[in-house]
C-alpha cells in the first residue's frame, strides 16, 4: 500500500449493536466477521456476516445460520432487537 492508497470506508452497519438491557452485545467487524457476547460470556458466538441492502446473513463458526434486517436504524436479528451502542432509543425501551 502506498501513501496514496486509502482504505475503503467501513460499511455503515459496522460497529457495536446492543439489546436494550445490554445483555447481548454484537460487534460487526469491518472484515465481515462478528463477535457476540452474552452476559458475562465474551465471544459466545462468532462467525461471518454479509450485507445485501438492509439485510444481513450470518453464519456462525459452527455452521448455524441466522438473518437480520436493519429498519430505521434498528437491527432486528431473529428474535432480538439491537440498537447501535449509545442510541438513546435503547434506554427508552428498558
Amino acid at each position: 500500500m502506498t501513501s496514496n492508497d486509502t482504505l475503503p470506508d467501513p460499511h455503515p452497519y459496522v460497529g457495536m449493536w446492543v439489546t436494550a438491557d445490554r445483555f447481548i452485545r454484537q460487534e460487526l467487524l469491518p472484515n465481515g466477521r462478528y463477535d457476540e457476547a452474552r452476559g458475562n460470556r465474551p465471544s459466545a458466538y462468532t462467525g461471518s456476516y454479509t450485507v445485501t441492502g438492509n439485510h444481513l446473513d450470518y453464519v456462525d463458526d459452527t455452521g448455524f445460520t441466522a438473518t437480520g434486517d436493519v429498519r430505521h436504524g434498528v437491527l432486528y436479528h431473529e428474535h432480538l432487537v439491537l440498537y447501535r451502542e449509545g442510541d438513546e432509543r435503547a434506554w427508552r425501551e428498558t
Side-chain angles (χ1 to χ4, degrees), residues 27-70:
E27 185 173 13
L28 299 178
L29 303 166
N31 63 355
R33 301 274 304 160
Y34 71 91
D35 190 319
E36 182 174 299
R38 291 186 174 228
N40 293 329
R41 206 171 130 205
S43 301
Y45 298 97
T46 58
S48 62
Y49 72 93
T50 57
V51 179
T52 306
N54 293 330
H55 180 80
L56 288 87
D57 288 297
Y58 296 85
V59 179
D60 83 6
D61 290 338
T62 67
F64 180 80
T65 61
T67 62
D69 292 287
V70 177

Side-chain angles (χ1 to χ4, degrees):
M1 182 179 281
T2 68
S3 61
N4 293 333
D5 292 335
T6 59
L7 295 173
D9 289 334
H11 192 279
Y13 299 158
V14 166
M16 184 65 74
W17 296 82
V18 299
T19 54
D21 62 3
R22 292 194 49 80
F23 183 78
I24 298 173
R25 298 165 312 281
Q26 184 180 95
E27 185 173 13
L28 299 178
L29 303 166
N31 63 355
R33 301 274 304 160
Y34 71 91
D35 190 319
E36 182 174 299
R38 291 186 174 228
N40 293 329
R41 206 171 130 205
S43 301
Y45 298 97
T46 58
S48 62
Y49 72 93
T50 57
V51 179
T52 306
N54 293 330
H55 180 80
L56 288 87
D57 288 297
Y58 296 85
V59 179
D60 83 6
D61 290 338
T62 67
F64 180 80
T65 61
T67 62
D69 292 287
V70 177
R71 296 189 303 269
H72 306 292
V74 177
L75 173 55
Y76 297 90
H77 174 62
E78 298 298 335
H79 66 282
L80 301 173
V81 178
L82 297 114
Y83 301 88
R84 281 282 200 182
E85 188 171 52
D87 186 333
E88 292 182 17
R89 291 179 292 180
W91 318 136
R92 289 195 295 258
E93 297 291 324
T94 58

